Amino acid sequence: MASFRRTLSPAYHDRQYLNGAFSVSSPAHKLANANAKYSSPLPALVAALRRLAGGRHGRKGQWRRAAFRCVLCFFVGFLLGMFPFGHVAEDVRSHEISFEMKSPPHAEAQRLREGRVLRNRGVEEGLVIDPVSLSAERERQSERFDFAPRKPLIVVTPTYGRAFQAYFLNRLAQVLRLVPPPVVWVVVEMNAASMETAEVLRKTGVMYRHLVCKKNSTDVKDRGVHQRNTALEHIERHRLDGIVYFADDDNVYSLELFDALRDISRFGTWPVAMLAPSKNKAILEGPVCNASQVIGWHTNEKSRRLRRFHVDMSGFAFNSTILWDPKRWRRPSSNPIRQLDTVKEGFQETTFIEQLVEDESQMEGSPAGCSKILNWHLHLNAHNIAYPKGWVLQKNLDAVIPVK
């Protein structure tokens, strides 16, 4: 029986020898090489980077390692830059977070049913029921705040020890506490500051300055003149900016008066109601106004008709800058403005005002029309009665009706 022997194995029929080596080019190997053409180049890139990072140690190896790190960092940064991280933050910021509390569906349905029942009952009974919203809504309103600073008020009060001093000072202090700040109360005493007055001032809650007039005065009528001059000197030296008002402690004042003082530009005046020293009639003294223009004067005393301006000491106020800034008001003289103690009683007001203004055209009537009485001068002093020292009784008095 004849036998046929194959001379070559089918597995090695295409074997080739190159320089003592051989390569296998089988169909399966060719198929793998064909598929490798369409695979991802990432493994080849990684292999190239490894070959780049490999090598012997030394300067050449260190250079390769540094280059590999640079390429790797660039590659990682490129991938991070391509990834859309920023869009996530923008989407979160673009949506507002709402904290509105919503009721469950069954509660909302029940509320609607109750609303219909109330509306139907209201229609039957002739009532009108407005719907009530239970959701709290916050309305944003753009409000404009125009802040206009108030003019400071400088209230000058001369005082001295007498029977009603504590009552007068406390009464005036209670009025000044109700005046909107800024208010500076300048209280002036003669010769020395008494502990009783200092105690009253500390308890008032009003910003104050306690001054002492050192000028010797033997005449009682000149005491108030020297005390006011001490206050004027203090205002001029410290350049206090505000509206100066001489408020004696025995007068009665309304809050509306202090509100009107802040409207004064240079010099303001108003009528004052006074009780005559004989206490048998009332006297009205002050300006007659057409709106805010002074056109005449009220006066009932024949002995004072020779005065230029018929104003009471508590019936005018002026800007304090007139005292220490003469150029602003075009004053012809830079001499200090003070009250005069050389004139007769009752003429201190007019001689002082003549240093502040030239005529009625530089005055402002307050309030408009000068038709309101804003303060009263009642002359309620008790003469020749001394108040106990410290305003307390040192010993018990004899009982008129003893307790049995």
Side-chain angles (χ1 to χ4, degrees), residues 293-325:
Q293 181 183 4
V294 178
I295 59 175
W297 301 96
H298 290 289
T299 183
N300 291 329
E301 296 188 23
K302 297 181 179 180
S303 61
R304 296 185 179 183
R305 290 186 180 180
L306 298 177
R307 294 185 300 174
R308 175 67 180 84
F309 302 111
H310 300 271
V311 184
D312 185 71
M313 188 62 71
S314 61
F316 67 92
F318 60 95
N319 198 312
S320 65
T321 56
I322 302 178
L323 301 175
W324 48 266
D325 193 2

Side-chain angles (χ1 to χ4, degrees), residues 205-266:
V206 181
M207 185 168 58
Y208 70 91
R209 297 191 180 185
H210 194 181
L211 306 182
V212 177
C213 178
K214 297 294 186 179
K215 188 176 181 62
N216 294 326
S217 177
T218 57
D219 195 349
V220 176
K221 73 179 182 65
D222 295 332
R223 178 183 56 242
V225 174
H226 297 318
Q227 289 174 308
R228 297 185 189 96
N229 286 339
T230 300
L232 294 175
E233 182 181 357
H234 179 82
I235 295 171
E236 182 179 353
R237 181 171 64 254
H238 295 280
R239 297 199 167 204
L240 301 183
D241 191 358
I243 303 299
V244 181
Y245 178 51
F246 297 125
D248 293 341
D249 56 1
D250 57 344
N251 291 353
V252 180
Y253 306 93
S254 64
L255 284 176
E256 188 178 354
L257 170 63
F258 295 95
D259 293 335
L261 292 180
R262 289 193 164 99
D263 298 331
I264 296 174
S265 175
R266 175 170 182 162

Side-chain angles (χ1 to χ4, degrees), residues 150-178:
R150 304 187 187 98
K151 290 183 180 179
L153 299 182
I154 307 172
V155 182
V156 177
T157 301
T159 186
Y160 61 98
R162 60 197 189 278
F164 290 158
Q165 182 186 14
Y167 165 71
F168 289 151
L169 287 177
N170 280 285
R171 183 180 63 181
L172 181 55
Q174 296 302 321
V175 176
L176 295 179
R177 287 186 63 179
L178 302 176

Side-chain angles (χ1 to χ4, degrees), residues 73-99:
C73 292
F74 174 79
F75 186 73
V76 174
F78 179 78
L79 292 179
L80 293 176
M82 294 297 294
F83 194 82
F85 288 108
H87 297 286
V88 178
E90 292 178 0
D91 294 340
V92 174
R93 287 194 300 268
S94 61
H95 296 284
E96 296 181 355
I97 301 176
S98 176
F99 296 95

